[in-house]
């Protein structure tokens, strides 16, 4: 089973055409292994992207270097997954 | 496994086997209303089940709902289970449902992408696509919402087999898509088609592959406005609505573009919760509220379909 320890989901809200363009270009950087949960759609619309741990630093440096602000929507994806699994187990025991 | 659909836990996520078991229980408990059809087999040879809710007659006008075409969008399959129980519970005492079922059938495909769904439970929770392997591509899977014969292969889908929006080698290459295409064509009397995704809280209508407005744009927009108002009235969840291409982005080969072009005027896509805290990992305690509010919107579409036969 694939684990997602250290993966984060960043939320980027492009506020200019230039920022939107930069974010769209991220989709072509295959080596970063980015998983766009919400793809770039338009100005003011959130872009949510799951970032594997090894790509976190390079991506954050890239965003900051281009003056693109972001927030961290999910600090650690694996932690949420484990909560989800725990909840499912609890439910099946209840059943 | 629960012994009845009354003891089934609707506020939790379930595995494929648990959902298939739920379906069998629902059919067994309601033999005069619910039946289970197998409309095809997936790439990995899993059955593609559709629940049919009918008070009788043959080939009556029908209302189609599907969930789970993108396997990681777990709140949608869970909502589909809740809808199935809701239809059974309310089919006599709910005015909209009772009058709809007097003249129409309801088809509900809860796990539209079973291979992908099983994979999210066993190997990769983030899996979105099918699990097909096409010669010449090093990656697995096709985006089943880019594989329909509506603007297929146009911009708004990827030709890269490793992309999450890979459209596949040709339209209907995915058996999960082909099964629905064949079913819709052979039935020939489906009047509304709702395909349910998550997340980002949107109610969308065609087109996604072109900027050309659909001929019925005004009517679909008005229905969307009413449906979203009903949805928001329950818990205040804010939705946007509009055509796919004007509201989110260009997407070619999409489900409801194809169904609309088949003549199914009332074609809609929902993007359920979340607003941006959990994404696809929506906590299970939000399943029922999400299903309840979505149900109110579905009832608006049902009522309009019933009141406006075509």
């Amino acid at each position: 089973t694939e684990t997602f320890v250290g993966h984060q989901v960043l939320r980027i809200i492009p506020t200019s055409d230039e920022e939107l363009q930069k974010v769209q270009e991220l989709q072509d950087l295959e080596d970063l292994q980015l998983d766009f949960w919400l793809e770039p759609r338009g100005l003011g619309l959130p872009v949510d992207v799951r970032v594997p741990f090894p790509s976190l630093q390079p991506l954050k440096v890239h965003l900051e270097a281009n003056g693109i602000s972001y927030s961290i929507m999910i600090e650690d994806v694996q932690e949420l997954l484990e909560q989800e699994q725990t909840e499912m187990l609890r439910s099946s025991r209840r059943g | 496994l629960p012994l009845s659909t009354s003891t089934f836990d609707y506020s939790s996520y379930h595995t494929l086997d648990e959902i298939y078991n739920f379906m069998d229980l629902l059919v067994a408990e309601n033999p005069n209303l619910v039946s289970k059809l197998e409309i095809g087999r997936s790439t990995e040879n899993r059955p593609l089940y559709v629940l049919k809710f009918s008070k009788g007659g043959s080939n009556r006008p029908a209302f189609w709902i599907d969930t789970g075409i993108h396997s990681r969008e777990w709140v949608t399959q869970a909502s589909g289970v809740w809808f199935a129980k809701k239809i059974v519970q309310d089919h006599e005492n709910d005015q909209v449902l009772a009058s709809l079922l007097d003249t129409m059938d309801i088809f509900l495909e809860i796990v539209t992408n079973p291979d992908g769904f099983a994979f999210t439970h066993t190997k990769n929770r983030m899996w979105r696509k099918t699990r097909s392997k096409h010669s010449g591509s090093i990656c697995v899977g096709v985006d089943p919402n880019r594989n329909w014969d509506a603007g297929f292969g146009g911009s708004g889908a990827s030709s890269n087999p490793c992309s999450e929006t890979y459209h596949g080698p040709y339209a209907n290459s995915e058996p999960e898509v082909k099964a629905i295409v064949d079913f819709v064509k052979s039935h020939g009397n489906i009047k509304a088609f709702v395909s349910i995704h998550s997340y980002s809280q949107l109610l969308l209508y065609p087109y996604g592959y072109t900027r050309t407005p659909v001929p019925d744009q005004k009517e679909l927009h008005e229905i969307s406005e009413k449906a979203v108002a009903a949805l928001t009235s329950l818990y205040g969840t804010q939705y946007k609505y509009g055509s796919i291409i004007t509201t989110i982005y260009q997407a070619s080969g999409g489900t409801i573009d194809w169904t609309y072009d088949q003549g199914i005027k009332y074609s809609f896509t929902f993007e359920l919760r979340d607003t941006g805290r959990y994404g696809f990992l929506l906590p299970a305690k939000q399943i029922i509220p999400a299903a309840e509010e979505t149900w109110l919107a579905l009832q608006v579409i049902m009522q309009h379909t019933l009141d406006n036969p075509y």
Side-chain angles (χ1 to χ4, degrees):
Chain A
T1 303
E2 187 128 0
T3 62
F4 301 89
V5 177
H7 291 218
Q8 289 189 336
V9 176
L10 304 187
R11 167 157 283 201
I12 305 164
I13 302 183
T15 54
S16 69
D17 287 328
E18 190 195 354
E19 280 193 11
L20 184 60
Q21 161 97 24
K22 291 272 183 212
V23 176
Q24 282 165 334
E25 285 163 6
L26 292 175
Q27 291 184 285
D28 302 326
L29 304 180
E30 286 193 11
D31 52 329
L32 286 179
Q33 294 285 304
L34 301 179
D35 174 16
F36 281 86
W37 284 14
L38 292 183
E39 291 180 37
R41 295 169 285 173
L43 298 187
L45 293 176
V47 176
D48 294 344
V49 54
R50 175 174 61 83
V51 186
F53 181 68
S55 305
L56 266 180
Q57 202 47 34
L59 177 63
K60 288 179 177 178
V61 167
H62 174 81
L63 292 173
E64 284 151 21
N66 285 281
I68 299 174
S69 58
Y70 62 86
S71 60
I72 299 175
M73 177 172 139
I74 296 177
E75 286 280 350
D76 187 324
V77 171
Q78 187 60 31
E79 211 171 282
L80 266 188
L81 288 184
E82 282 159 11
Q83 285 173 27
E84 189 175 72
Q85 283 302 315
T86 305
E87 178 53 41
M88 282 180 74
L89 281 175
R90 194 178 298 142
S91 158
S92 55
R93 268 193 222 115
R94 275 199 303 266
Chain B
L1 293 174
L3 299 178
S4 101
T5 59
S6 303
T7 57
F8 188 88
D9 185 355
Y10 297 91
S11 63
S12 176
Y13 291 116
H14 291 276
T15 64
L16 183 64
D17 288 345
E18 288 169 340
I19 293 177
Y20 279 5
N21 177 65
F22 163 82
M23 288 182 193
D24 291 337
L25 283 174
L26 196 72
V27 171
E29 293 166 2
N30 306 278
N32 299 324
L33 178 65
V34 196
S35 54
K36 183 178 80 172
L37 317 176
E38 181 175 325
I39 64 168
R41 290 261 157 167
S42 68
T43 294
E44 294 173 348
N45 202 34
R46 288 185 172 90
L48 302 171
Y49 289 133
V50 172
L51 291 178
K52 176 181 181 182
F53 302 83
S54 178
K55 288 183 180 174
S58 72
N59 202 249
R60 302 201 299 177
F63 194 100
W64 169 282
I65 303 168
D66 67 67
T67 53
I69 197 166
H70 283 148
S71 36
R72 66 181 174 185
E73 301 167 5
W74 278 16
V75 67
T76 70
Q77 297 94 336
S79 297
V81 168
W82 188 90
F83 296 151
K85 181 63 175 175
K86 185 68 172 174
I87 293 170
V88 162
Q89 270 174 337
D90 289 6
H91 75 278
E92 288 173 332
N93 57 18
D94 176 287
Q95 184 267 328
V96 176
L97 208 46
S99 49
L100 185 102
L101 286 167
D102 280 345
T103 57
M104 295 179 75
D105 294 338
I106 297 173
F107 292 105
L108 170 58
E109 184 173 13
I110 296 173
V111 189
T112 307
N113 174 8
D115 296 348
F117 188 60
F119 200 71
T120 61
H121 279 274
T122 54
K123 294 287 188 302
N124 181 343
R125 171 68 178 80
M126 294 301 152
W127 193 260
R128 158 190 167 102
K129 302 191 287 183
T130 63
R131 290 293 301 162
S132 60
K133 298 163 187 64
H134 293 283
S135 58
S137 58
I138 54 168
C139 289
V140 172
V142 168
D143 181 346
N145 197 30
R146 298 292 187 284
N147 188 242
W148 301 70
D149 197 5
F152 175 81
S155 47
S158 171
S159 56
N160 173 359
C162 300
S163 163
E164 291 292 356
T165 57
Y166 175 46
H167 50 55
Y170 52 87
N172 303 335
S173 63
E174 303 312 288
E176 297 81 359
V177 169
K178 183 72 167 50
I180 300 174
V181 167
D182 293 344
F183 180 80
V184 166
K185 286 184 172 177
S186 69
H187 185 280
N189 202 11
I190 292 176
K191 297 299 179 184
F193 194 105
V194 183
S195 192
I196 299 183
H197 292 248
S198 80
Y199 65 99
S200 60
Q201 300 178 194
L202 300 168
L203 175 51
L204 304 168
Y205 52 79
Y207 285 116
Y209 70 83
T210 173
R211 288 203 169 279
T212 309
V214 290
D216 301 297
Q217 157 109 10
K218 183 174 180 300
E219 184 182 5
L220 297 184
H221 200 77
E222 287 164 2
I223 298 168
S224 302
E225 184 176 15
K226 279 176 63 180
V228 163
L231 184 152
T232 305
S233 69
L234 192 57
Y235 297 114
T237 306
Q238 295 301 310
Y239 262 61
K240 291 193 175 87
Y241 56 90
S243 72
I244 295 167
I245 196 162
T246 58
T247 311
I248 41 176
Y249 42 50
Q250 182 156 21
S252 61
T255 309
I256 64 167
D257 283 357
W258 181 80
T259 59
Y260 183 84
D261 283 347
Q262 292 304 303
I264 303 176
K265 179 174 19 169
Y266 303 123
S267 291
F268 294 93
T269 281
F270 279 86
E271 289 281 355
L272 306 188
R273 296 182 179 190
D274 157 77
T275 49
R277 171 67 191 85
Y278 299 99
F280 299 119
L281 304 178
L282 193 71
K285 62 178 181 285
Q286 290 198 39
I287 293 171
I288 293 180
E292 287 173 330
E293 64 191 12
T294 309
W295 181 251
L296 296 181
L298 283 172
Q299 288 209 302
V300 168
I301 299 169
M302 287 176 178
Q303 185 70 61
H304 187 94
T305 304
L306 196 58
D307 296 345
N308 298 272
Y310 62 96

